[in-house]
Amino acid sequence: MKNKTPINFWGIGAQKAGTTWLYYNLSKTDGFLIPPVKEFHYFDRDIKYPSPNFLSETRVKDRITSLPFLIKAGKSILKSLLKGKFKNVGFFLKWYFSDYNDEWYKSLFAHYNGTKGEITPAYTMLSKEDISRMYAVAPNAKLVLMLRNPVDRAWSHFRHIKKRIKGFSLDDVEVKEILAFMQSEGQELRSDYARTIKNYTSVFPKEQLLIGFFDAIIDNPEQLLEEIINFLTDTQTVEKSSGIKNEDEDTLLNKVVNKSIELDCPPEVLALLKEKYHDMMLDLANQYGGYFNKWYYETYEKSSENKNMRLFPTIFTTSRK
């Protein structure tokens, strides 16, 4: 039974492709129990990954002497207490004051009923070895991979980082710095969709991986969310009682979440990205069609061999057009 499994699904990325939108909508969907932390970063906590490593200190005794750690933990627990969210209090006590291991990870979901999961975009970067660790924890878990035109994703990634700098503009940075970022390990791993799909489907059965598209959040958010919910709950239709609560529907489904600052991509950067991702986009377009075809045509003004232009909000990796 679902409720007896440690976890029912993982959102595995990609960054800047709609994962925050997915997190907030699933957390407001009846039957889904989503922990109060969006990005766990448990399986990518090794320092070999260019991602946040706040779980890298495995033992609680090595963390407890850190004042910033204690302040952060105290704020999370106090906020939950003030809001009367006592289940979240228990979650944060275990989150901050436990030794980290697979049993601890599974225990974070133990008191949640319904469809349980977590969403960490950095999981796109995982090696087969760490994906195998995920499989050992929950071999039947579903996987949702949200994707976006890799050229747009990479530029949004850069803008997302720079929005932390108040008043930032392109006058504050040299083009060579932007070019270096586009060729950095963290950016490249997050945009290498072919690698991510290959790594996950070499460990998990292909039918357990669903690809969703950032574009569909704009074009058809209701259908996108419905198809993801159907996939995660093994249902063909979503009853009204199982969907987004009415009072939240408009504000969540059509809301731009975690938006990057607006900046025009310099021509040199755009040229680099178009060259970097041409072959991958063409291969994905040839295999799957749909939005991959749209990306390829809009980016290069050329068509792939696959003539299927139907824009399905989601596709299965088992599909071949």
Side-chain angles (χ1 to χ4, degrees):
M1 295 176 61
K2 269 194 177 68
N3 293 348
K4 299 298 182 181
T5 62
I7 188 168
N8 302 117
F9 74 91
W10 280 290
I12 59 173
Q15 185 187 43
K16 306 309 299 175
T19 59
T20 303
W21 175 90
L22 181 62
Y23 172 82
Y24 282 113
N25 278 289
L26 290 182
S27 68
K28 296 293 184 180
T29 299
D30 289 342
F32 279 77
L33 279 300
I34 312 297
V37 171
K38 181 207 169 195
E39 300 184 18
F40 278 32
H41 287 285
Y42 177 66
F43 294 100
D44 65 310
R45 68 195 190 96
D46 193 297
I47 59 173
K48 68 184 178 183
Y49 294 112
S51 61
N53 288 295
F54 47 77
L55 298 186
S56 58
E57 289 288 357
T58 297
R59 297 180 299 181
V60 66
K61 72 181 187 67
D62 295 328
R63 286 176 259 125
I64 202 75
T65 57
S66 168
L67 182 59
F69 167 82
L70 292 174
I71 291 174
K72 187 175 182 179
K75 284 183 177 179
S76 297
I77 294 167
L78 180 60
K79 185 177 179 180
S80 298
L81 279 171
L82 292 176
K83 289 186 175 182
K85 296 184 177 181
F86 301 113
K87 185 174 286 189
N88 287 355
V89 172
F91 174 91
F92 283 121
L93 285 171
K94 185 170 291 187
W95 175 262
Y96 287 108
F97 300 108
S98 301
D99 289 344
Y100 300 143
N101 53 48
D102 288 354
E103 291 306 310
W104 163 82
Y105 178 80
K106 288 188 286 186
S107 75
L108 292 172
F109 301 90
H111 299 295
Y112 291 87
N113 295 315
T115 303
K116 304 172 288 186
E118 62 116 336
I119 299 172
T120 300
Y123 289 169
T124 53
M125 300 189 293
L126 294 184
S127 66
K128 291 181 182 178
E129 178 183 7
D130 287 315
I131 294 171
S132 295
R133 288 182 55 228
M134 295 175 73
Y135 183 81
V137 168
N140 296 319
K142 301 290 186 67
L143 308 166
V144 177
L145 175 62
M146 297 292 295
L147 295 183
R148 179 179 187 175
N149 184 319
V151 173
D152 296 338
R153 195 221 70 80
W155 182 236
S156 181
H157 186 177
F158 175 81
R159 293 185 288 119
H160 175 71
I161 291 173
K162 295 303 181 183
K163 81 174 184 179
R164 303 167 190 165
I165 303 174
K166 186 176 181 180
F168 177 84
S169 75
L170 289 178
D171 294 333
D172 301 323
V173 63
E174 294 185 17
V175 171
K176 65 179 181 181
E177 179 185 331
I178 305 176
L179 294 173
F181 172 81
M182 295 308 169
Q183 300 189 79
S184 66
E185 182 184 22
Q187 193 294 113
E188 290 186 334
L189 283 174
R190 287 173 169 86
S191 295
D192 193 348
Y193 306 155
R195 172 187 176 274
T196 298
I197 293 170
K198 181 179 179 182
N199 280 355
Y200 274 92
T201 56
S202 69
V203 176
F204 283 84
K206 291 182 178 180
E207 60 270 18
Q208 288 175 220
L209 173 61
L210 187 75
I211 297 174
F213 294 93
F214 175 85
D215 314 60
I217 296 175
I218 300 168
D219 296 341
N220 196 343
E222 295 86 358
Q223 186 178 346
L224 172 63
L225 183 61
E226 180 175 314
E227 290 186 6
I228 292 174
I229 292 172
N230 288 345
F231 171 68
L232 296 180
T233 57
D234 294 318
T235 58
Q236 294 302 309
T237 59
V238 178
E239 299 294 335
K240 188 175 183 62
S241 61
S242 299
I244 294 288
K245 297 179 178 66
N246 290 335
E247 65 270 20
D248 297 316
E249 185 168 3
D250 291 337
T251 57
L252 287 170
L253 282 175
N254 302 300
K255 184 178 180 180
V256 178
V257 186
N258 202 21
K259 186 177 181 180
S260 303
I261 58 174
E262 295 293 337
L263 297 170
D264 293 329
C265 186
E268 304 96 319
V269 177
L270 181 60
L272 171 71
L273 292 173
K274 288 173 70 173
E275 180 181 3
K276 178 184 287 290
Y277 294 113
H278 174 274
D279 291 352
M280 182 184 73
M281 269 205 274
L282 177 59
D283 182 58
L284 291 171
N286 284 334
Q287 289 189 67
Y288 301 107
Y291 276 113
F292 291 119
N293 259 343
K294 182 174 182 284
W295 297 350
Y296 187 70
Y297 182 79
E298 290 180 345
T299 305
Y300 304 102
E301 297 183 347
K302 296 187 291 186
S303 299
S304 71
E305 297 174 358
N306 191 324
K307 303 307 178 184
N308 182 3
M309 296 296 291
R310 290 189 63 189
L311 301 180
F312 296 100
T314 64
I315 60 172
F316 287 93
T317 54
T318 50
S319 302
R320 290 293 184 271
K321 308 302 181 190

